[in-house]
Amino acid sequence: MTADKIVIGLAGMPGSGKSIVVDTARELGYDIVVMGDVIRQETLKRSLALTPQNVGKVMLQLREEGGNYVIAEKCIPKIEEQASFKVLVDGLRSLHEADIFKKHFSKFSLLAVHASPETRFNRLSNRRRSDDTSDWKVFYERDMRELSVGLGNVIAMAGQMIVNENSFEQVKSKVKESLKMVEEKWLK
């Protein structure tokens, strides 16, 4: 177990505003490990385009091939090699992943960000990352796939919840407050 790092697992549905949390954490001295990068890298390794369908299919295949812990296990060395003693892990999808991080990092906490489906759909339509969509049906299918691996459970079990339906400044302030609360918990 690595006791010296504060590790915060970040969960949220696609388009909920995890990037605001990531950017704010980075400003506050956190190093960032993105779980989705593992899946995107594997998708490219399998010579597939980075579409919502392909990335989702590879996410499910990785879990089927390597178990529910596989993505988290691939992230542990990445977390350990970060220079900062504060690391934010972006993109937890299941309590299995949270459990493996808790076993490896004694100062592990969960943070979730939430936004309504309509808000998230609009954000994704405007963001236009390769695995985003402006098709409601594809968006809904992605949500159902994310929920099927346990993302809703991670969000429900988070120690801190940020609702991202307000202005950028309000949400950023809430993120800072939440990160401070987690740090204070572990630095007592």
Side-chain angles (χ1 to χ4, degrees):
M1 180 173 294
T2 305
D4 57 337
K5 289 188 187 287
I6 293 173
V7 179
I8 300 176
L10 175 62
M13 296 293 286
S16 61
K18 293 183 297 294
S19 62
I20 294 172
V21 178
V22 167
D23 293 344
T24 304
R26 190 175 281 122
E27 288 172 17
L28 297 174
Y30 283 78
D31 284 338
I32 310 299
V33 172
V34 181
M35 295 183 76
D37 287 350
V38 170
I39 298 165
R40 284 184 280 279
Q41 289 167 355
E42 184 65 26
T43 302
L44 294 172
K45 191 171 145 186
R46 295 179 185 201
S47 301
L48 298 169
L50 293 176
T51 65
Q53 294 85 351
N54 287 343
V55 173
K57 183 172 85 175
V58 170
M59 175 190 71
L60 295 174
Q61 287 173 347
L62 280 171
R63 283 175 169 82
E64 193 175 293
E65 296 161 3
N68 292 321
Y69 302 93
V70 67
I71 311 297
E73 287 171 341
K74 290 176 181 285
C75 289
I76 288 170
K78 296 173 188 292
I79 296 166
E80 290 173 337
E81 70 189 23
Q82 299 304 309
S84 178
F85 76 96
K86 302 185 297 186
V87 180
L88 183 84
V89 182
D90 178 16
L92 273 77
R93 295 289 186 269
S94 76
L95 290 175
H96 297 287
E97 294 168 342
D99 288 344
I100 199 96
F101 289 138
K102 283 179 193 172
K103 286 178 185 167
H104 280 80
F105 303 102
S106 64
K107 298 177 183 175
F108 177 79
S109 296
L110 278 174
L111 172 66
V113 61
H114 175 75
S116 70
E118 294 79 14
T119 297
R120 294 185 302 99
F121 177 74
N122 289 331
R123 287 180 185 150
L124 294 178
S125 295
N126 292 326
R127 183 170 73 178
R128 301 207 188 281
R129 196 173 70 189
S130 63
D131 56 340
D132 290 337
T133 184
S134 57
D135 179 320
W136 179 265
K137 183 177 183 247
V138 174
F139 167 81
Y140 180 80
E141 289 169 354
R142 181 179 180 188
D143 270 6
M144 292 302 103
R145 186 171 49 247
E146 297 284 356
L147 291 170
S148 77
V149 295
L151 180 53
N153 295 331
V154 179
I155 293 168
M157 295 305 292
Q160 297 286 325
M161 172 69 74
I162 298 164
V163 177
N164 183 8
E165 295 284 349
N166 299 318
S167 73
F168 177 80
E169 293 78 20
Q170 289 173 311
V171 173
K172 190 169 180 170
S173 175
K174 179 66 175 162
V175 171
K176 287 179 179 179
E177 180 184 317
S178 294
L179 293 174
K180 183 179 175 188
M181 289 174 72
V182 171
E183 289 174 30
E184 287 173 354
K185 170 185 174 181
W186 293 120
L187 296 175
K188 286 182 181 176

